[in-house]
Protein backbone atom coordinates (compact mmCIF):
# COMPACT_ATOMS: atom_id res chain seq x y z
CA UNK A 1 0.00 0.00 0.00
CA UNK A 2 1.67 3.22 -1.18
CA UNK A 3 0.72 6.73 -0.25
CA UNK A 4 0.62 9.78 -2.49
CA UNK A 5 -0.17 13.30 -1.34
CA UNK A 6 -1.65 15.94 -3.63
CA UNK A 7 -1.36 19.54 -2.43
CA UNK A 8 -3.65 22.09 -4.06
CA UNK A 9 -3.09 25.79 -3.38
CA UNK A 10 -4.63 28.98 -4.79
CA UNK A 11 -2.30 30.55 -7.37
CA UNK A 12 -0.22 33.42 -5.95
CA UNK A 13 -1.98 36.00 -8.15
CA UNK A 14 -5.44 34.79 -7.10
CA UNK A 15 -7.24 36.26 -4.09
CA UNK A 16 -7.60 33.74 -1.28
CA UNK A 17 -10.58 34.80 0.88
CA UNK A 18 -10.23 31.84 3.26
CA UNK A 19 -6.57 32.59 3.89
CA UNK A 20 -7.35 36.31 4.28
CA UNK A 21 -10.01 35.46 6.87
CA UNK A 22 -7.58 33.30 8.85
CA UNK A 23 -4.85 35.97 8.63
CA UNK A 24 -7.32 38.56 9.93
CA UNK A 25 -8.54 36.33 12.74
CA UNK A 26 -4.98 35.63 13.89
CA UNK A 27 -4.23 39.38 13.92
CA UNK A 28 -7.29 40.10 16.04
CA UNK A 29 -6.10 37.40 18.46
CA UNK A 30 -2.73 39.16 18.77
CA UNK A 31 -0.72 36.92 16.43
CA UNK A 32 1.06 39.54 14.30
CA UNK A 33 3.37 39.01 11.33
CA UNK A 34 1.75 35.95 9.79
CA UNK A 35 0.30 35.71 6.30
CA UNK A 36 -1.79 32.61 5.66
CA UNK A 37 -2.92 30.99 2.42
CA UNK A 38 -5.34 28.08 2.61
CA UNK A 39 -5.48 25.15 0.24
CA UNK A 40 -6.35 21.49 0.17
CA UNK A 41 -4.42 18.34 0.98
CA UNK A 42 -5.43 14.96 -0.44
CA UNK A 43 -3.92 11.82 1.06
CA UNK A 44 -4.32 8.96 -1.39
CA UNK A 45 -3.77 5.30 -0.53
CA UNK A 46 -2.85 3.37 -3.66
CA UNK A 47 -3.53 -0.37 -3.73
CA UNK A 48 -0.58 -2.42 -4.91
CA UNK A 49 2.70 -1.03 -6.16
CA UNK A 50 3.13 2.62 -7.00
CA UNK A 51 4.44 2.19 -10.52
CA UNK A 52 5.36 5.21 -12.66
CA UNK A 53 2.13 4.57 -14.60
CA UNK A 54 0.04 4.66 -11.42
CA UNK A 55 1.76 7.86 -10.31
CA UNK A 56 1.07 9.40 -13.72
CA UNK A 57 -2.59 8.37 -13.34
CA UNK A 58 -2.71 10.29 -10.04
CA UNK A 59 -1.08 13.32 -11.66
CA UNK A 60 -3.64 13.27 -14.46
CA UNK A 61 -6.69 13.09 -12.22
CA UNK A 62 -5.16 15.62 -9.82
CA UNK A 63 -5.03 18.04 -12.73
CA UNK A 64 -8.50 17.12 -14.02
CA UNK A 65 -10.48 16.59 -10.81
CA UNK A 66 -8.69 17.59 -7.61
CA UNK A 67 -7.41 20.99 -8.73
CA UNK A 68 -9.08 23.77 -10.67
CA UNK A 69 -6.01 24.75 -12.68
CA UNK A 70 -7.54 28.08 -13.70
CA UNK A 71 -7.10 29.33 -10.14
CA UNK A 72 -5.06 26.65 -8.36
CA UNK A 73 -1.62 25.07 -8.54
CA UNK A 74 -1.07 21.48 -7.50
CA UNK A 75 1.82 19.19 -6.67
CA UNK A 76 1.97 15.42 -6.40
CA UNK A 77 4.26 14.02 -3.70
CA UNK A 78 4.90 10.29 -3.41
CA UNK A 79 5.96 9.08 0.02
CA UNK B 1 10.77 35.46 5.57
CA UNK B 2 10.26 31.89 6.76
CA UNK B 3 7.56 29.50 5.73
CA UNK B 4 5.62 27.08 7.88
CA UNK B 5 3.06 24.58 6.63
CA UNK B 6 0.21 23.28 8.77
CA UNK B 7 -1.52 20.13 7.52
CA UNK B 8 -4.93 19.35 8.96
CA UNK B 9 -6.52 15.96 8.25
CA UNK B 10 -9.66 14.22 9.50
CA UNK B 11 -8.79 11.65 12.17
CA UNK B 12 -8.62 8.08 10.85
CA UNK B 13 -11.64 6.99 12.88
CA UNK B 14 -13.75 9.93 11.64
CA UNK B 15 -15.87 9.66 8.51
CA UNK B 16 -14.59 11.89 5.73
CA UNK B 17 -17.50 12.67 3.38
CA UNK B 18 -15.39 14.87 1.08
CA UNK B 19 -12.77 12.17 0.66
CA UNK B 20 -15.48 9.54 0.17
CA UNK B 21 -17.05 11.68 -2.58
CA UNK B 22 -13.70 12.06 -4.35
CA UNK B 23 -12.97 8.33 -4.02
CA UNK B 24 -16.39 7.54 -5.52
CA UNK B 25 -15.97 10.02 -8.36
CA UNK B 26 -12.58 8.56 -9.29
CA UNK B 27 -14.05 5.05 -9.32
CA UNK B 28 -16.84 6.14 -11.64
CA UNK B 29 -14.21 7.65 -13.92
CA UNK B 30 -12.42 4.30 -14.08
CA UNK B 31 -9.65 5.05 -11.58
CA UNK B 32 -9.75 1.93 -9.39
CA UNK B 33 -7.74 1.12 -6.29
CA UNK B 34 -7.45 4.60 -4.78
CA UNK B 35 -8.73 5.66 -1.37
CA UNK B 36 -8.74 9.41 -0.81
CA UNK B 37 -8.94 11.47 2.38
CA UNK B 38 -9.29 15.22 2.10
CA UNK B 39 -7.91 17.77 4.50
CA UNK B 40 -6.56 21.29 4.58
CA UNK B 41 -3.15 22.78 3.98
CA UNK B 42 -2.18 26.17 5.39
CA UNK B 43 0.94 27.88 4.03
CA UNK B 44 2.07 30.52 6.51
CA UNK B 45 4.64 33.22 5.75
CA UNK B 46 6.29 34.34 8.97
CA UNK B 47 7.83 37.82 9.08
CA UNK B 48 11.36 37.88 10.46
CA UNK B 49 13.20 34.88 11.85
CA UNK B 50 11.45 31.65 12.67
CA UNK B 51 12.57 31.36 16.28
CA UNK B 52 11.48 28.37 18.40
CA UNK B 53 9.07 30.77 20.18
CA UNK B 54 7.48 31.80 16.86
CA UNK B 55 7.16 28.17 15.80
CA UNK B 56 5.52 27.35 19.13
CA UNK B 57 3.12 30.27 18.54
CA UNK B 58 2.13 28.69 15.21
CA UNK B 59 1.68 25.29 16.88
CA UNK B 60 -0.56 26.84 19.51
CA UNK B 61 -2.85 28.64 17.10
CA UNK B 62 -2.87 25.65 14.75
CA UNK B 63 -4.30 23.62 17.62
CA UNK B 64 -6.72 26.35 18.71
CA UNK B 65 -7.86 27.85 15.40
CA UNK B 66 -6.75 25.95 12.30
CA UNK B 67 -7.70 22.45 13.41
CA UNK B 68 -10.74 21.13 15.20
CA UNK B 69 -8.90 18.64 17.37
CA UNK B 70 -12.08 16.76 18.24
CA UNK B 71 -12.22 15.43 14.69
CA UNK B 72 -8.91 16.46 13.08
CA UNK B 73 -5.20 15.82 13.49
CA UNK B 74 -2.65 18.46 12.55
CA UNK B 75 1.06 18.69 11.95
CA UNK B 76 3.32 21.73 11.76
CA UNK B 77 6.15 21.54 9.22
CA UNK B 78 8.80 24.27 9.02
CA UNK B 79 10.58 24.60 5.69
Amino acid sequence: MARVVVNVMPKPEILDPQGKAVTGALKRMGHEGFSVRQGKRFEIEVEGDLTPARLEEVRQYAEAVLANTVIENFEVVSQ
Side-chain angles (χ1 to χ4, degrees), chain A residues 62-73:
Chain A
E63 185 171 7
V65 180
L66 304 183
N68 175 353
T69 55
V70 177
I71 58 169
E72 294 168 326
N73 290 326

Side-chain angles (χ1 to χ4, degrees), chain A residues 2-78:
Chain A
R3 205 227 245 165
V4 180
V5 172
V6 177
N7 293 317
V8 177
M9 296 300 296
K11 290 188 177 182
E13 66 272 24
I14 298 285
L15 278 178
D16 168 22
Q18 288 180 305
K20 282 257 181 305
V22 175
T23 302
L26 291 178
K27 231 169 241 160
R28 287 191 296 279
M29 295 169 70
H31 300 292
E32 298 277 351
F34 298 99
S35 173
V36 181
R37 291 183 76 78
Q38 181 173 343
K40 288 172 282 188
R41 175 185 167 91
F42 298 91
E43 291 184 356
I44 304 169
E45 300 282 346
V46 184
E47 276 175 31
D49 288 338
L50 186 63
T51 60
R54 285 295 258 178
L55 193 56
E56 174 59 20
E57 187 179 355
V58 173
R59 205 204 57 73
Q60 284 183 4
Y61 71 59
E63 185 171 7
V65 180
L66 304 183
N68 175 353
T69 55
V70 177
I71 58 169
E72 294 168 326
N73 290 326
F74 71 98
E75 58 173 359
V76 178
V77 185
S78 61

